[in-house]
Amino acid sequence: MAERNEKKPKRIENTQKQQNKKQDGEVKKEENDGNSEEMAKSGQETQAKSNPNKKFKKVFPYGNYKSYYGYRIGKGPEREEDPRIRVLKKEWFEGKDCLDIGCNSGVVTIQIAKKYNCKSILGLDIDSALIEEAFWYLRKFVKMEFAEKKNTNNTNVKAVQDVNESEQCTTKSSNEGADNGSSHQSSCERNLSDIVSFRQENFVRSRPHDKQYDTILCLSVTKWIHLNWGDDGLITAFAKIWRLLRPGGVFVLEPQPWSSYERNRTVSETTRSNFRDIKYRPDFFREMLLDKIGFRRVEVVTSDLSGTRTGFNRPIFAYCK
């Protein structure tokens, strides 16, 4: 009996050792699992570092694409006119105060000011980097415009110098008239930088503007407002546009189709969630703007935009306040 009692503690001791080993094994397993996660993370980082040439897809949740006009218009967008500008009416812009919502890098904003001689035009975009690029393009356009005027003036001067000496009297009077006309033209003409300005702004969330406008553009922007701020954000934007327009003002709208929403709905968790809750699809915009927002009438500017690239042939509408 004594021997049995002596052996019993050994069995208990062995059992405790086994339990301790088991616990140690579990602890080590947990440590290894944690290390595996860290290793996996570090492995991904290492893989990314070991493949510096690997291209990762960049996401633009607000449609704030880089080189957007380079893709839509072509190389050298400062020299190629956007096809949409050709269908716009001169009377909407000439001598008018204008606003361009979602201007991206500002190329179309500048081209409209240059072609239609706006009194002023302000381009807004949510991306500050794009606004910096817009100012870069503006400086480039101003330099190009200055070079064009300089070449024209040089050509005119050379033409005057080549006039036959036997017509000096006629030439003299002609030169005086040309000089007077030139000075009058330079006093009336303004530099593009005096007409065009840009500002970083979230139009949906921003405070009301201090001034009103004759014409407001919203070209291929409504989808991004809709996906990021839902139906409420879109209605807010439309109502704000109506308030910012002067009586008789024009709202130029180029909405993206629903199929475009479907392609971009997963760019962020916000867009994914809002996409599921959208009730007012683009086909309903006309009814919303006329019956609920308060615009008096709408004109279909174009339903088939010629000369545009594949995927950008979208209808353009003009709503009158």
Side-chain angles (χ1 to χ4, degrees):
M1 292 291 292
E3 290 179 0
R4 289 179 182 176
N5 291 334
E6 288 176 0
K7 290 181 180 179
K8 192 172 182 179
K10 290 183 179 179
R11 290 178 182 176
I12 294 173
E13 185 178 349
N14 290 336
T15 303
Q16 289 176 344
K17 287 181 179 179
Q18 290 174 356
Q19 289 176 348
N20 290 338
K21 287 180 180 180
K22 185 177 181 182
Q23 289 175 353
D24 290 342
E26 290 176 352
V27 171
K28 288 180 180 179
K29 185 177 182 298
E30 289 176 359
E31 290 176 352
N32 289 335
D33 289 342
N35 291 335
S36 297
E37 292 179 6
E38 292 299 321
M39 288 173 66
K41 290 178 181 178
S42 63
Q44 290 172 357
E45 292 174 1
T46 303
Q47 186 177 3
K49 291 177 182 178
S50 63
N51 293 287
N53 296 327
K54 185 177 180 181
K55 292 183 179 180
F56 293 93
K57 188 176 181 181
K58 202 168 184 179
V59 177
F60 302 97
Y62 303 108
N64 49 325
Y65 299 108
K66 312 300 178 186
S67 303
Y68 172 71
Y69 291 118
Y71 174 70
R72 179 160 186 161
I73 302 175
K75 294 181 179 179
E78 69 276 10
R79 296 188 180 277
E80 292 189 42
E81 186 178 81
D82 190 300
R84 292 173 292 183
I85 295 179
R86 293 196 293 268
V87 301
L88 302 178
K89 293 184 178 180
K90 185 177 182 179
E91 57 263 31
W92 296 341
F93 304 99
E94 188 174 27
K96 303 294 178 64
D97 293 312
C98 308
L99 177 67
D100 185 10
I101 301 168
C103 66
N104 197 269
S105 61
V107 172
V108 166
T109 315
I110 300 168
Q111 288 183 349
I112 288 174
K114 182 178 173 66
K115 181 170 184 175
Y116 295 123
N117 193 25
C118 304
K119 179 182 177 182
S120 71
I121 185 165
L122 170 63
L124 304 178
D125 202 275
I126 197 171
D127 191 331
S128 58
L130 287 176
I131 292 299
E132 289 180 12
E133 188 175 350
F135 277 114
W136 181 86
Y137 269 116
L138 179 58
R139 290 191 294 271
K140 190 170 184 178
F141 269 92
V142 169
K143 289 179 181 178
M144 290 169 56
E145 189 178 47
F146 178 77
E148 289 171 2
K149 288 179 180 178
K150 188 176 180 180
N151 290 335
T152 301
N153 291 337
N154 290 339
T155 302
N156 292 339
V157 170
K158 188 176 185 303
V160 171
Q161 290 175 346
D162 289 343
V163 173
N164 195 304
E165 292 181 1
S166 63
E167 300 175 348
Q168 286 182 358
C169 292
T170 307
T171 302
K172 183 177 180 181
S173 62
S174 299
N175 285 342
E176 289 174 354
D179 290 340
N180 292 334
S182 175
S183 61
H184 175 72
Q185 187 179 26
S186 61
S187 64
C188 293
E189 283 188 358
R190 293 181 300 153
N191 191 294
L192 272 173
S193 59
D194 298 324
I195 301 170
V196 182
S197 59
F198 296 103
R199 187 169 73 214
Q200 186 276 329
E201 182 179 312
N202 179 344
F203 183 75
V204 178
R205 301 299 187 201
S206 64
R207 294 179 179 180
H209 290 208
D210 296 331
K211 64 179 290 185
Q212 287 188 305
Y213 303 90
D214 300 294
T215 302
I216 297 179
L217 299 110
C218 189
L219 305 177
S220 290
V221 174
T222 48
K223 174 184 70 176
W224 299 109
I225 293 175
H226 217 169
L227 286 175
N228 281 284
W229 292 280
D231 288 334
D232 290 342
L234 184 71
I235 294 171
T236 297
F238 283 161
K240 186 181 287 189
I241 288 168
W242 188 88
R243 290 194 300 270
L244 287 174
L245 278 171
R246 294 181 178 126
V250 177
F251 172 38
V252 182
L253 174 65
E254 181 193 32
Q256 295 100 320
W258 184 250
S259 58
S260 183
Y261 283 63
E262 293 175 328
R263 288 193 297 271
N264 294 109
R265 69 185 186 277
T266 60
V267 294
S268 72
E269 288 301 321
T270 299
T271 58
R272 192 193 308 269
S273 175
N274 284 333
F275 176 81
R276 292 193 295 265
D277 297 332
I278 287 175
K279 296 179 181 177
Y280 304 129
R281 295 191 179 190
D283 292 341
F284 184 71
F285 290 178
R286 181 190 182 108
E287 181 180 342
M288 181 192 297
L289 288 164
L290 293 175
D291 298 342
K292 298 183 181 299
I293 302 300
F295 285 94
R296 293 187 293 115
R297 65 177 184 272
V298 60
E299 174 186 344
V300 180
V301 180
T302 180
S303 58
D304 186 17
L305 190 62
S306 62
T308 191
R309 295 200 170 192
T310 304
F312 293 106
N313 188 1
R314 297 164 181 165
I316 298 176
F317 305 92
Y319 290 86
C320 184
K321 181 175 178 179

